[in-house]
Amino acid sequence: MKELDRAIYDKYIAPTEKKRELSIGVEIEMPVVNLSGEPVEVKTVLAVSEAFRSFFGFDVQGRDDDGNVNSISDKASGDNLSFDCCYSNLELSMGIGKDLNEIHERFKKFYTFLQGEFAKYGYTLTGMGINPNYAVNYNNPVPNERYRMLYHYLHSYRKYQFELDRRFHEFPEFGTFTSASQIQLDVENDCLIDTINTFGMLEPYKSVLFANSYLPEYPDYLCVRNMLWERSMQGFNPHNVGMFSQKLGSIDELLEYIKSQSIYCTIRGGRYIDFEPISVREYFSRDTVQGEEFDGQQYKTVDFSPEKSDLQYLRTFKFEDLTFRGTIEYRSSCCQPIKDVMTVSALHTGLVGKLPQLKELLENDNVIYGHGYSSLELQDMLSKTKLPDFIDTQSLKEQLIKILDLAKQGLKERAKHEEHYLDALYRRAENLTNPAKQMLEGIKNGKTLNDFITLYSLV
């Protein structure tokens, strides 16, 4: 096990020991919407992608099994266009940067071009966490090894729904119609544990600000994305998803936590194998594991032996997810309306610079904390349409504004004139609203879903 401990340390902890200037990686997933109400056609999306590649001179990075280009990148900046899970969920991953304004300018340039091309077909991108046409789209995975495996794995929940004391939802294809706004920020070893713990405590407040994934089948939720992850096979082991159920006390505790997370796939001979999730600790103690592999025509049962390199296939989706790059990827936020697309990045970038003050604010919080609920429970409660009765709304507004003031101060100290990206969040805090709530109230008052598809697509 010492060898395993060393491998985990080298992958996750060692990269945080390097002293670096803060770097920022922004990833924006966006629904592709056919405005006619018909399903999104792959050929249309690929035509737009090809026009983008030709215009900007991006290089091909990946193709699907049919030979279609599904990932393209710019060598100089590292900017990438790809498709997350399916061809109706387009992702722009902006290359590592230091300045949110520069990242945003590149994003707007790419987004404006894409919108012009999609408009030729009666399509649009929009800033929502749920594809508004999820019920009519094909929701098929990108035909490649990774997404075929993931689709198959997520559908395997039916094997366990009656054996385990847990509730699985009925949308195993959820990854094809949910869209996120994610940011990766460098983290240094000496503040790693405080960062994970403090931003974990922040999650309930983020739910109030960023909720933008309403699914009619779950009308209680304004932000349903996180529940869809947690009550799927991704959450078979709760340690793989969502929040840490309790505060971490040290790097050693984090390493033990990582060993408690589960591996559910690997590659042998160029093909993915998926299997019932096994904790890292147990997986590397086994002589053989049984899984399923697609042989080109059908799935077949295969036995294989764990290898040290399989650690690279440990895929987790924590809200504060430590990566092999020495970064924390903040995963919990929905895609935002495009005009507010940088709000998620701005909040996190500002607050990491004010970590001690944020920690103090949240550890002394009595607005949502101190009422008998954990941060994990509160995050779920504050993701819903109705706030808990024990929360005083005026105090909630004031605490949100204190959090935003800290973020604003952190951004001002960076001296890059980035604090204007918080303006939309101040408005949300003052009115205790968010994009999902705004949409539902608008529809209740006579607006249509298409009105919000258009509104949330504006730059």
Side-chain angles (χ1 to χ4, degrees):
M1 293 301 288
K2 287 184 178 179
E3 185 178 355
L4 175 60
D5 290 345
R6 185 75 248 176
I8 294 173
Y9 188 95
D10 288 344
K11 177 179 178 181
Y12 292 104
I13 308 303
T16 70
E17 295 173 344
K18 301 173 184 176
K19 297 293 182 182
R20 298 157 290 171
E21 181 185 354
L22 183 71
S23 294
I24 304 167
V26 176
E27 301 173 11
I28 308 293
E29 301 166 5
M30 296 167 285
V32 181
V33 181
N34 184 340
L35 292 171
S36 71
E38 296 297 314
V40 167
E41 295 291 344
V42 172
K43 63 181 180 181
T44 301
V45 177
L46 291 174
V48 171
S49 177
E50 174 56 27
F52 182 97
R53 187 199 65 77
S54 178
F55 184 84
F56 289 107
F58 276 30
D59 297 321
V60 175
Q61 296 295 311
R63 296 178 183 270
D64 67 21
D65 289 351
D66 299 324
N68 299 312
V69 174
N70 61 5
S71 178
I72 53 178
S73 292
D74 177 65
K75 282 184 179 179
S77 66
D79 296 335
N80 176 270
L81 183 153
S82 63
F83 298 93
D84 191 82
C85 289
C86 77
Y87 283 113
S88 55
N89 193 25
L90 185 146
E91 179 174 336
L92 285 174
S93 300
M94 311 309 297
I96 295 172
K98 306 290 186 184
D99 187 321
L100 293 176
N101 291 301
E102 293 177 1
I103 294 170
H104 189 212
E105 286 304 312
R106 299 203 312 273
F107 171 86
K108 287 193 295 184
K109 176 178 64 175
F110 299 149
Y111 178 82
T112 300
F113 179 87
L114 289 167
Q115 284 293 74
E117 291 299 310
F118 274 124
K120 297 175 183 178
Y121 301 93
Y123 281 42
T124 188
L125 296 170
T126 193
M128 294 181 173
I130 295 284
N131 193 309
N133 286 359
Y134 72 96
V136 298
N137 282 337
Y138 300 124
N139 298 328
N140 292 325
V142 171
N144 63 18
E145 275 290 321
R146 179 185 174 191
Y147 288 125
R148 183 187 299 110
M149 175 279 297
L150 181 59
Y151 197 77
H152 179 255
Y153 170 72
L154 290 172
H155 280 74
S156 70
Y157 79 96
R158 296 185 179 93
K159 297 179 183 178
Y160 310 104
Q161 59 183 338
F162 300 116
E163 299 175 18
L164 300 175
D165 183 22
R166 67 188 68 204
R167 297 174 297 158
F168 291 100
H169 59 69
E170 298 295 325
F171 288 97
E173 73 282 7
F174 71 94
T176 65
F177 62 78
T178 56
S179 301
S181 175
Q182 299 173 167
I183 179 171
Q184 289 197 41
L185 294 168
D186 288 328
V187 61
E188 293 187 356
N189 184 273
D190 58 1
C191 61
L192 172 58
I193 299 303
D194 271 353
T195 301
I196 292 174
N197 287 336
T198 303
F199 276 87
M201 292 187 72
L202 182 68
E203 286 296 338
Y205 285 109
K206 285 167 53 181
S207 297
V208 178
L209 292 173
F210 294 121
N212 193 24
S213 54
Y214 177 76
L215 193 64
E217 287 81 356
Y218 295 95
D220 290 343
Y221 282 93
L222 294 172
C223 177
V224 77
R225 276 184 60 255
N226 298 325
M227 184 279 289
L228 292 175
W229 281 93
E230 291 163 3
R231 286 172 49 187
S232 75
M233 284 298 292
Q234 294 287 18
F236 183 98
N237 179 349
H239 282 200
N240 278 47
V241 296
M243 300 173 66
F244 291 84
S245 57
Q246 59 188 30
K247 287 186 178 181
L248 297 170
S250 64
I251 294 290
D252 286 341
E253 281 191 23
L254 176 57
L255 291 171
E256 289 301 312
Y257 193 95
I258 291 171
K259 285 191 286 187
S260 76
Q261 295 175 323
S262 294
I263 294 179
Y264 62 82
C265 67
T266 190
I267 285 182
R268 293 291 185 272
R271 289 179 173 167
Y272 266 103
I273 302 170
D274 66 273
F275 43 89
E276 181 177 336
I278 306 169
S279 73
V280 171
R281 189 180 287 110
E282 180 183 350
Y283 179 83
F284 287 103
S285 69
R286 288 195 182 185
D287 293 326
T288 60
V289 173
Q290 186 174 91
E292 292 185 305
E293 174 188 270
F294 187 71
D295 66 4
Q297 295 183 325
Q298 61 184 356
Y299 281 90
K300 64 179 183 180
T301 300
V302 295
D303 294 322
F304 66 95
S305 297
E307 298 175 358
K308 181 180 177 181
S309 60
D310 291 341
L311 188 61
Q312 67 183 297
Y313 298 105
L314 171 59
R315 294 201 171 124
T316 56
F317 298 90
K318 305 297 290 180
F319 290 167
E320 284 73 41
D321 218 1
L322 181 61
T323 77
F324 65 90
R325 300 180 180 91
T327 66
I328 289 180
E329 184 166 10
Y330 299 88
R331 291 178 169 273
S332 65
S333 300
C334 305
C335 175
Q336 299 297 292
I338 300 303
K339 67 181 177 61
D340 301 329
V341 75
M342 297 301 291
T343 53
V344 173
S345 298
L347 181 74
H348 289 85
T349 302
L351 288 177
V352 295
K354 308 301 292 184
L355 183 64
Q357 295 89 337
L358 179 63
K359 178 183 177 182
E360 181 181 6
L361 180 67
L362 294 174
E363 287 186 343
N364 293 303
D365 179 281
N366 58 13
V367 178
I368 65 173
Y369 290 102
H371 300 279
Y373 299 98
S374 68
S375 56
L376 187 153
E377 292 168 322
L378 288 166
Q379 189 278 329
D380 184 72
M381 295 165 77
L382 271 68
S383 294
K384 294 182 176 179
T385 54
K386 186 179 182 301
L387 290 172
D389 292 337
F390 63 83
I391 294 180
D392 177 74
T393 55
Q394 184 58 37
S395 297
L396 179 59
K397 292 179 186 181
E398 292 171 0
Q399 189 74 326
L400 284 168
I401 290 171
K402 288 179 183 177
I403 291 167
L404 292 174
D405 285 344
L406 275 180
K408 187 172 186 178
Q409 186 179 350
L411 291 175
K412 282 185 174 180
E413 289 174 3
R414 285 167 50 80
K416 298 180 185 296
H417 306 290
E418 302 161 318
E419 54 270 16
H420 63 96
Y421 292 119
L422 298 174
D423 291 348
L425 298 184
Y426 275 103
R427 291 192 293 272
R428 294 180 193 179
E430 289 163 359
N431 296 292
L432 287 186
T433 193
N434 49 57
K437 186 175 182 180
Q438 181 184 350
M439 181 185 73
L440 290 179
E441 290 177 350
I443 290 174
K444 184 178 179 180
N445 291 322
K447 292 187 177 181
T448 67
L449 180 59
N450 277 345
D451 289 334
F452 283 93
I453 292 172
T454 299
L455 178 64
Y456 288 177
S457 72
L458 300 178
V459 179

PDB file of all heavy atoms in Angstrom, residues 243-261:
ATOM      1  N   MET A 243     -20.140  16.973  -2.389  1.00  0.00           N
ATOM      2  CA  MET A 243     -19.381  17.616  -1.330  1.00  0.00           C
ATOM      3  C   MET A 243     -18.698  16.602  -0.424  1.00  0.00           C
ATOM      4  O   MET A 243     -19.104  15.440  -0.367  1.00  0.00           O
ATOM      5  CB  MET A 243     -20.307  18.518  -0.514  1.00  0.00           C
ATOM      6  CG  MET A 243     -20.961  19.600  -1.346  1.00  0.00           C
ATOM      7  SD  MET A 243     -22.205  20.528  -0.433  1.00  0.00           S
ATOM      8  CE  MET A 243     -21.158  21.341   0.778  1.00  0.00           C
ATOM      9  N   PHE A 244     -17.676  17.073   0.283  1.00  0.00           N
ATOM     10  CA  PHE A 244     -17.088  16.267   1.342  1.00  0.00           C
ATOM     11  C   PHE A 244     -18.052  16.314   2.520  1.00  0.00           C
ATOM     12  O   PHE A 244     -18.490  17.391   2.932  1.00  0.00           O
ATOM     13  CB  PHE A 244     -15.725  16.829   1.741  1.00  0.00           C
ATOM     14  CG  PHE A 244     -14.672  16.675   0.680  1.00  0.00           C
ATOM     15  CD1 PHE A 244     -14.566  17.602  -0.353  1.00  0.00           C
ATOM     16  CD2 PHE A 244     -13.805  15.601   0.705  1.00  0.00           C
ATOM     17  CE1 PHE A 244     -13.601  17.459  -1.341  1.00  0.00           C
ATOM     18  CE2 PHE A 244     -12.831  15.440  -0.280  1.00  0.00           C
ATOM     19  CZ  PHE A 244     -12.740  16.366  -1.305  1.00  0.00           C
ATOM     20  N   SER A 245     -18.382  15.152   3.060  1.00  0.00           N
ATOM     21  CA  SER A 245     -19.403  15.102   4.104  1.00  0.00           C
ATOM     22  C   SER A 245     -18.918  15.692   5.418  1.00  0.00           C
ATOM     23  O   SER A 245     -19.720  16.065   6.274  1.00  0.00           O
ATOM     24  CB  SER A 245     -19.862  13.655   4.329  1.00  0.00           C
ATOM     25  OG  SER A 245     -18.768  12.821   4.651  1.00  0.00           O
ATOM     26  N   GLN A 246     -17.608  15.798   5.586  1.00  0.00           N
ATOM     27  CA  GLN A 246     -17.060  16.435   6.779  1.00  0.00           C
ATOM     28  C   GLN A 246     -15.751  17.125   6.422  1.00  0.00           C
ATOM     29  O   GLN A 246     -15.149  16.836   5.386  1.00  0.00           O
ATOM     30  CB  GLN A 246     -16.828  15.416   7.892  1.00  0.00           C
ATOM     31  CG  GLN A 246     -15.871  14.291   7.523  1.00  0.00           C
ATOM     32  CD  GLN A 246     -15.825  13.213   8.601  1.00  0.00           C
ATOM     33  OE1 GLN A 246     -16.787  12.976   9.303  1.00  0.00           O
ATOM     34  NE2 GLN A 246     -14.675  12.568   8.719  1.00  0.00           N
ATOM     35  N   LYS A 247     -15.333  18.051   7.271  1.00  0.00           N
ATOM     36  CA  LYS A 247     -14.121  18.798   6.992  1.00  0.00           C
ATOM     37  C   LYS A 247     -12.903  17.887   7.005  1.00  0.00           C
ATOM     38  O   LYS A 247     -12.806  16.969   7.807  1.00  0.00           O
ATOM     39  CB  LYS A 247     -13.936  19.906   8.032  1.00  0.00           C
ATOM     40  CG  LYS A 247     -14.880  21.080   7.873  1.00  0.00           C
ATOM     41  CD  LYS A 247     -14.530  22.179   8.860  1.00  0.00           C
ATOM     42  CE  LYS A 247     -15.444  23.379   8.682  1.00  0.00           C
ATOM     43  NZ  LYS A 247     -15.091  24.472   9.627  1.00  0.00           N
ATOM     44  N   LEU A 248     -11.985  18.181   6.103  1.00  0.00           N
ATOM     45  CA  LEU A 248     -10.705  17.477   6.093  1.00  0.00           C
ATOM     46  C   LEU A 248      -9.780  18.126   7.101  1.00  0.00           C
ATOM     47  O   LEU A 248      -9.750  19.348   7.244  1.00  0.00           O
ATOM     48  CB  LEU A 248     -10.084  17.546   4.695  1.00  0.00           C
ATOM     49  CG  LEU A 248     -10.876  16.869   3.567  1.00  0.00           C
ATOM     50  CD1 LEU A 248     -10.261  17.227   2.212  1.00  0.00           C
ATOM     51  CD2 LEU A 248     -10.901  15.366   3.752  1.00  0.00           C
ATOM     52  N   GLY A 249      -8.994  17.297   7.796  1.00  0.00           N
ATOM     53  CA  GLY A 249      -8.105  17.826   8.815  1.00  0.00           C
ATOM     54  C   GLY A 249      -6.663  17.965   8.370  1.00  0.00           C
ATOM     55  O   GLY A 249      -5.896  18.709   8.995  1.00  0.00           O
ATOM     56  N   SER A 250      -6.285  17.277   7.289  1.00  0.00           N
ATOM     57  CA  SER A 250      -4.879  17.285   6.886  1.00  0.00           C
ATOM     58  C   SER A 250      -4.741  16.685   5.486  1.00  0.00           C
ATOM     59  O   SER A 250      -5.687  16.101   4.943  1.00  0.00           O
ATOM     60  CB  SER A 250      -4.045  16.445   7.862  1.00  0.00           C
ATOM     61  OG  SER A 250      -4.454  15.074   7.799  1.00  0.00           O
ATOM     62  N   ILE A 251      -3.543  16.810   4.939  1.00  0.00           N
ATOM     63  CA  ILE A 251      -3.234  16.175   3.661  1.00  0.00           C
ATOM     64  C   ILE A 251      -3.398  14.667   3.769  1.00  0.00           C
ATOM     65  O   ILE A 251      -3.906  14.010   2.855  1.00  0.00           O
ATOM     66  CB  ILE A 251      -1.798  16.527   3.207  1.00  0.00           C
ATOM     67  CG1 ILE A 251      -1.668  18.023   2.901  1.00  0.00           C
ATOM     68  CG2 ILE A 251      -1.403  15.687   1.995  1.00  0.00           C
ATOM     69  CD1 ILE A 251      -2.388  18.492   1.657  1.00  0.00           C
ATOM     70  N   ASP A 252      -2.980  14.093   4.893  1.00  0.00           N
ATOM     71  CA  ASP A 252      -3.102  12.647   5.082  1.00  0.00           C
ATOM     72  C   ASP A 252      -4.572  12.214   5.017  1.00  0.00           C
ATOM     73  O   ASP A 252      -4.887  11.161   4.450  1.00  0.00           O
ATOM     74  CB  ASP A 252      -2.491  12.229   6.423  1.00  0.00           C
ATOM     75  CG  ASP A 252      -0.965  12.255   6.404  1.00  0.00           C
ATOM     76  OD1 ASP A 252      -0.397  12.243   5.294  1.00  0.00           O
ATOM     77  OD2 ASP A 252      -0.362  12.308   7.492  1.00  0.00           O
ATOM     78  N   GLU A 253      -5.462  13.002   5.614  1.00  0.00           N
ATOM     79  CA  GLU A 253      -6.891  12.673   5.540  1.00  0.00           C
ATOM     80  C   GLU A 253      -7.392  12.752   4.104  1.00  0.00           C
ATOM     81  O   GLU A 253      -8.224  11.939   3.681  1.00  0.00           O
ATOM     82  CB  GLU A 253      -7.703  13.617   6.428  1.00  0.00           C
ATOM     83  CG  GLU A 253      -7.675  13.258   7.898  1.00  0.00           C
ATOM     84  CD  GLU A 253      -8.689  14.051   8.709  1.00  0.00           C
ATOM     85  OE1 GLU A 253      -9.682  14.545   8.126  1.00  0.00           O
ATOM     86  OE2 GLU A 253      -8.488  14.182   9.931  1.00  0.00           O
ATOM     87  N   LEU A 254      -6.902  13.728   3.349  1.00  0.00           N
ATOM     88  CA  LEU A 254      -7.295  13.836   1.943  1.00  0.00           C
ATOM     89  C   LEU A 254      -6.822  12.613   1.164  1.00  0.00           C
ATOM     90  O   LEU A 254      -7.565  12.062   0.338  1.00  0.00           O
ATOM     91  CB  LEU A 254      -6.713  15.113   1.334  1.00  0.00           C
ATOM     92  CG  LEU A 254      -6.961  15.320  -0.171  1.00  0.00           C
ATOM     93  CD1 LEU A 254      -8.456  15.305  -0.497  1.00  0.00           C
ATOM     94  CD2 LEU A 254      -6.320  16.627  -0.643  1.00  0.00           C
ATOM     95  N   LEU A 255      -5.599  12.157   1.420  1.00  0.00           N
ATOM     96  CA  LEU A 255      -5.090  10.967   0.751  1.00  0.00           C
ATOM     97  C   LEU A 255      -5.933   9.744   1.092  1.00  0.00           C
ATOM     98  O   LEU A 255      -6.232   8.911   0.208  1.00  0.00           O
ATOM     99  CB  LEU A 255      -3.632  10.728   1.143  1.00  0.00           C
ATOM    100  CG  LEU A 255      -2.622  11.753   0.614  1.00  0.00           C
ATOM    101  CD1 LEU A 255      -1.249  11.528   1.239  1.00  0.00           C
ATOM    102  CD2 LEU A 255      -2.536  11.700  -0.901  1.00  0.00           C
ATOM    103  N   GLU A 256      -6.334   9.613   2.334  1.00  0.00           N
ATOM    104  CA  GLU A 256      -7.203   8.502   2.722  1.00  0.00           C
ATOM    105  C   GLU A 256      -8.564   8.614   2.037  1.00  0.00           C
ATOM    106  O   GLU A 256      -9.151   7.605   1.642  1.00  0.00           O
ATOM    107  CB  GLU A 256      -7.371   8.464   4.247  1.00  0.00           C
ATOM    108  CG  GLU A 256      -6.129   8.018   5.003  1.00  0.00           C
ATOM    109  CD  GLU A 256      -5.664   6.626   4.589  1.00  0.00           C
ATOM    110  OE1 GLU A 256      -6.510   5.706   4.521  1.00  0.00           O
ATOM    111  OE2 GLU A 256      -4.460   6.462   4.315  1.00  0.00           O
ATOM    112  N   TYR A 257      -9.049   9.833   1.908  1.00  0.00           N
ATOM    113  CA  TYR A 257     -10.334  10.039   1.231  1.00  0.00           C
ATOM    114  C   TYR A 257     -10.241   9.612  -0.234  1.00  0.00           C
ATOM    115  O   TYR A 257     -11.146   8.953  -0.760  1.00  0.00           O
ATOM    116  CB  TYR A 257     -10.749  11.513   1.327  1.00  0.00           C
ATOM    117  CG  TYR A 257     -12.177  11.784   0.934  1.00  0.00           C
ATOM    118  CD1 TYR A 257     -13.184  11.851   1.890  1.00  0.00           C
ATOM    119  CD2 TYR A 257     -12.533  11.959  -0.402  1.00  0.00           C
ATOM    120  CE1 TYR A 257     -14.504  12.099   1.529  1.00  0.00           C
ATOM    121  CE2 TYR A 257     -13.850  12.205  -0.769  1.00  0.00           C
ATOM    122  CZ  TYR A 257     -14.824  12.267   0.202  1.00  0.00           C
ATOM    123  OH  TYR A 257     -16.137  12.505  -0.171  1.00  0.00           O
ATOM    124  N   ILE A 258      -9.138   9.971  -0.872  1.00  0.00           N
ATOM    125  CA  ILE A 258      -8.962   9.583  -2.278  1.00  0.00           C
ATOM    126  C   ILE A 258      -8.955   8.062  -2.407  1.00  0.00           C
ATOM    127  O   ILE A 258      -9.533   7.501  -3.335  1.00  0.00           O
ATOM    128  CB  ILE A 258      -7.669  10.195  -2.850  1.00  0.00           C
ATOM    129  CG1 ILE A 258      -7.830  11.722  -2.974  1.00  0.00           C
ATOM    130  CG2 ILE A 258      -7.325   9.586  -4.214  1.00  0.00           C
ATOM    131  CD1 ILE A 258      -6.555  12.455  -3.322  1.00  0.00           C
ATOM    132  N   LYS A 259      -8.330   7.376  -1.451  1.00  0.00           N
ATOM    133  CA  LYS A 259      -8.329   5.908  -1.505  1.00  0.00           C
ATOM    134  C   LYS A 259      -9.722   5.323  -1.285  1.00  0.00           C
ATOM    135  O   LYS A 259      -9.986   4.182  -1.671  1.00  0.00           O
ATOM    136  CB  LYS A 259      -7.350   5.353  -0.461  1.00  0.00           C
ATOM    137  CG  LYS A 259      -5.886   5.512  -0.854  1.00  0.00           C
ATOM    138  CD  LYS A 259      -4.956   4.733   0.043  1.00  0.00           C
ATOM    139  CE  LYS A 259      -4.803   5.366   1.398  1.00  0.00           C
ATOM    140  NZ  LYS A 259      -3.763   4.679   2.220  1.00  0.00           N
ATOM    141  N   SER A 260     -10.615   6.108  -0.686  1.00  0.00           N
ATOM    142  CA  SER A 260     -11.986   5.631  -0.476  1.00  0.00           C
ATOM    143  C   SER A 260     -12.870   5.875  -1.698  1.00  0.00           C
ATOM    144  O   SER A 260     -13.995   5.370  -1.762  1.00  0.00           O
ATOM    145  CB  SER A 260     -12.609   6.337   0.738  1.00  0.00           C
ATOM    146  OG  SER A 260     -12.985   7.668   0.434  1.00  0.00           O
ATOM    147  N   GLN A 261     -12.381   6.652  -2.660  1.00  0.00           N
ATOM    148  CA  GLN A 261     -13.138   6.886  -3.886  1.00  0.00           C
ATOM    149  C   GLN A 261     -13.045   5.671  -4.795  1.00  0.00           C
ATOM    150  O   GLN A 261     -12.195   4.802  -4.609  1.00  0.00           O
ATOM    151  CB  GLN A 261     -12.613   8.140  -4.588  1.00  0.00           C
ATOM    152  CG  GLN A 261     -12.852   9.411  -3.761  1.00  0.00           C
ATOM    153  CD  GLN A 261     -12.236  10.648  -4.395  1.00  0.00           C
ATOM    154  OE1 GLN A 261     -11.152  10.607  -4.981  1.00  0.00           O
ATOM    155  NE2 GLN A 261     -12.925  11.776  -4.269  1.00  0.00           N
TER     156      GLN A 261
END
